[in-house]
């Protein structure tokens, strides 16, 4: 094994990202849950994430996990599995790439998902959306295809901390139907916010459709009135965020 001093900058980032995931996993049992609005909770079903490993790899195969009727399988870091979705972004600039299959055990459908994250880029293209990243630190793009509603893209441009949250932009769209994505920073029962996002909220026309908690073991909330296809789309997006290894403030 190479000594840490001899690793490349990219390797160090991957190493510390994995290490941070381990530390978060160990501390997760003592942390409260992410705060979700009571009005949304009354109209939603919560699905705890089961089987998610605290240690998320930087490369190679990873253990599957699930929530509700959905199962993440064939998880690979570095896109070792080919799909026909094409290149999401300039992959030479991506510090993180991963793919997985999301299986709906009720509908018997599987969605192939690819994701890639860029670091400290100036601009990025995301399915008809050109993002100016002068105030953002990380750019994540996710691509998948629903059997019913076609190609979807999730794109997040994130400044990386609570103080600059106004500069966060995010959306999930198939070109005709657009969903806003926002980070959530509040702990349940605590007045002070987290410095980094605890999860994300998906909303359309002011109505929350889904939320995903990415800290601790993870949780997913779905509004009860969602169609089966929209549930599959949001499950694919939530799954990609549960696998996303965000950089911490000490690993820029």
């Amino acid at each position: 094994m190479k000594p840490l001093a001899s690793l490349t900058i990219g390797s160090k980032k991957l190493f510390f990202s994995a290490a941070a995931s381990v530390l978060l996993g160990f501390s997760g049992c003592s942390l409260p849950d992410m705060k979700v609005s009571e009005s949304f909770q009354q109209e939603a079903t919560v699905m705890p994430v089961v089987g998610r490993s605290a240690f998320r790899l930087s490369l190679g195969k990873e253990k599957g996990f699930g929530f509700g009727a959905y199962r993440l399988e064939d998880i690979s870091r570095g896109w070792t599995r080919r799909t026909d979705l094409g290149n999401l972004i300039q992959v030479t600039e991506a510090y993180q790439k991963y793919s997985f299959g999301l299986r709906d055990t009720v509908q018997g459908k599987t969605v192939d998902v690819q994701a890639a994250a860029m670091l400290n880029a100036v601009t990025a293209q995301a399915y008809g959306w050109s993002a100016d990243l002068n105030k953002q630190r990380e750019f994540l793009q996710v691509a998948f295809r629903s059997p019913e509603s076609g190609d979807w893209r999730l794109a997040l441009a994130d400044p990386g901390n609570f103080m600059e949250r106004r500069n966060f932009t995010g959306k999930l769209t198939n070109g005709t139907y657009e969903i806003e994505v926002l980070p959530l920073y509040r702990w349940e029962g605590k007045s002070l916010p987290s410095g980094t996002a605890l999860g994300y909220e998906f909303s359309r026309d002011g109505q929350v459709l889904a939320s995903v908690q990415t800290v601790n073991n993870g949780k997913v909330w779905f509004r009860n009135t969602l169609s089966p296809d929209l549930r599959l789309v949001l499950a694919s997006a939530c799954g990609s965020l549960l696998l996303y290894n965000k950089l911490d403030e000490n690993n820029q």
Side-chain angles (χ1 to χ4, degrees), residues 81-88 99-100 112-114 143 145:
R81 177 167 52 85
R82 293 179 60 85
T83 75
D84 59 355
L85 291 171
N87 290 332
L88 303 180
S99 63
F100 64 95
D112 289 326
V113 183
Q114 285 188 345
R145 180 171 297 148

Side-chain angles (χ1 to χ4, degrees), residues 18-33 52-56 187 190 194 196 198 213-218 248:
S21 297
V22 173
L23 292 175
L24 182 58
F26 284 131
S27 61
C29 60
S30 62
L31 292 175
D33 282 332
R52 181 182 180 219
S53 174
F55 183 77
R56 295 191 289 280
W187 301 102
K190 289 185 176 292
S194 167
T196 56
L198 306 176
Q213 174 181 297
T214 56
V215 297
N216 302 341
N217 290 329
D248 60 32

Side-chain angles (χ1 to χ4, degrees), residues 156-212:
L156 306 181
D158 189 355
N161 63 74
F162 175 79
M163 297 303 293
E164 298 182 21
R165 63 193 182 281
R166 294 177 184 270
N167 294 319
F168 182 98
T169 55
K171 70 177 181 179
L172 172 64
T173 181
N174 65 351
T176 57
Y177 192 93
E178 187 170 309
I179 298 171
E180 183 181 17
V181 186
L182 290 173
L184 298 177
Y185 297 92
R186 299 286 179 181
W187 301 102
E188 186 67 51
K190 289 185 176 292
S191 57
L192 293 178
S194 167
T196 56
L198 306 176
Y200 301 86
E201 181 179 86
F202 299 81
S203 63
R204 178 175 169 84
D205 298 329
Q207 183 182 67
V208 179
L209 305 178
S211 293
V212 55

